[in-house]
């Protein structure tokens, strides 16, 4: 959310943010709340693919066509994202590399291994790259 807020800059609107717990059900509930407050919304970026799939279900039930009436973008690129109807546009995380970096960092913190811990100059952690996977939902 912080990265999205920073990326949107002055265009970020807190009133358009709904929270969930990264499950399909919480995506459904968040989408329903959002549609109730902003029935004219035409696009959403969702913090996880499972939540995005739940949101797409709610939009369809409300008579909204994805992507014609409302575009949906998720985050994770789980396998079911490409199998959904329509296919979910999403951000792909390099989870194998994330796991390797996490293990190397843990070993370095424990004083085991030859690799330095992952750090940044600002002490805020490491940001790894993601890739946009364009499918039919946006």
């Amino acid at each position: 959310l912080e990265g999205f807020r920073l990326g949107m800059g002055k265009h970020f609107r807190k009133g358009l943010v709904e929270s969930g717990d990264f499950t399909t059900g919480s995506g459904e509930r968040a989408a329903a709340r959002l549609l109730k407050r902003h029935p004219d919304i035409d696009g959403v970026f969702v913090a996880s693919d499972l939540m995005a799939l739940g949101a797409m279900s709610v939009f369809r039930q409300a008579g909204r066509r994805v992507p014609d009436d409302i575009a949906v973008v998720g985050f994770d690129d789980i396998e079911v994202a490409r199998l959904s109807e329509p296919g979910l546009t999403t951000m792909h995380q390099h989870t194998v590399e994330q796991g390797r970096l996490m293990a190397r960092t843990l070993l370095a913190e424990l004083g085991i291994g030859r690799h330095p811990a992952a750090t940044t100059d600002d002490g805020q952690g490491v940001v790894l790259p993601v890739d946009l996977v364009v499918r039919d939902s946006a």
Side-chain angles (χ1 to χ4, degrees):
L1 179 58
E2 181 65 14
F4 181 73
R5 186 188 66 75
L6 290 172
M8 292 296 293
K10 67 180 182 176
H11 302 289
F12 179 78
R13 292 175 48 202
K14 186 176 181 180
L16 291 174
V17 174
E18 283 293 336
S19 297
D21 64 7
F22 302 95
T23 63
T24 305
S26 73
E28 292 170 342
R29 292 184 294 277
R33 290 189 303 266
L34 190 60
L35 272 182
K36 186 174 182 179
R37 285 196 336 272
H38 300 281
D40 60 337
I41 194 160
D42 63 1
V44 294
F45 176 67
V46 187
S48 80
D49 287 351
L50 287 177
M51 288 175 48
L53 294 170
M56 285 178 20
S57 174
V58 167
F59 298 148
R60 278 192 298 273
Q61 290 171 16
R64 305 289 299 274
R65 296 168 300 157
V66 176
D68 299 326
D69 300 323
I70 188 164
V72 179
V73 177
F75 196 97
D76 291 326
D77 195 23
I78 61 174
E79 186 171 345
V80 73
R82 70 178 177 80
L83 302 173
S84 69
E85 185 55 43
L88 180 62
T89 295
T90 186
M91 300 302 298
H92 175 80
Q93 298 188 80
H94 301 273
T95 54
V96 172
E97 183 56 32
Q98 287 174 342
R100 287 180 180 145
L101 181 60
M102 191 175 0
R104 285 194 306 264
T105 300
L106 177 60
L107 290 172
E109 290 292 320
L110 294 171
I112 303 168
R114 300 172 296 195
H115 301 286
T119 59
T120 59
D121 293 339
D122 62 8
Q124 296 297 308
V126 176
V127 177
L128 297 176
V130 293
D131 299 310
L132 176 63
V133 179
V134 178
R135 295 193 179 102
D136 296 328
S137 69

